[in-house]
Amino acid sequence: MELVMAILIGVLFTAAVYLILSRSLLKIIIGTGLLSHGAHLLILTMGGLGGLAPPVISEGVTDFADPLPQALILTAIVISFGVTAFILVMAYRAYAVHKTDDMNQLKGNDEHD
């Protein structure tokens, strides 16, 4: 199962880098979302996938699941949601002002700084 997850993480990172390096602002935003999903899966895989241990300690239980990866993923999801919302608002404002989402046109030149 870890091999399948590693391949999926690699595909997500590859697609994210490809989209982030594109010219369209919307593709860059989708790429950052894919990159954050790949990071979430990486944290989950590093925490261990298998196991039948309960997540909560109760009486008589000697083996339990580590809650740290789930807490890290939950925090990362909240942060990525906030960053994505911020980037979407900035992209909407840039499109409203400049009427384009092409990064080559948005970067400006020496005449219009």
Side-chain angles (χ1 to χ4, degrees):
M1 186 68 175
E2 283 85 6
L3 180 64
V4 173
M5 291 295 282
I7 292 170
L8 180 63
I9 292 166
V11 168
L12 283 174
F13 280 154
T14 303
V17 168
Y18 176 76
L19 289 173
I20 288 173
L21 293 176
S22 67
R23 292 183 185 165
S24 174
L25 199 54
L26 186 60
K27 288 182 182 178
I28 293 171
I29 295 169
I30 293 171
T32 57
L34 285 178
L35 189 68
S36 68
H37 288 311
H40 299 159
L41 286 177
L42 181 65
I43 293 170
L44 181 67
T45 305
M46 291 296 113
L49 297 175
L52 300 175
V56 180
I57 301 175
S58 60
E59 290 187 32
V61 175
T62 58
D63 189 26
F64 55 91
D66 185 17
L68 184 62
Q70 289 87 4
L72 287 174
I73 292 170
L74 183 61
T75 304
I77 288 170
V78 171
I79 291 171
S80 67
F81 175 74
V83 168
T84 303
F86 177 72
I87 292 173
L88 281 171
V89 168
M90 294 297 290
Y92 176 76
R93 180 68 180 152
Y95 184 77
V97 170
H98 299 290
K99 302 292 187 232
T100 185
D101 71 338
D102 187 12
M103 292 302 292
N104 287 336
Q105 295 176 0
L106 289 174
K107 71 179 178 181
N109 54 24
D110 293 337
E111 294 176 9
H112 306 310
D113 284 334

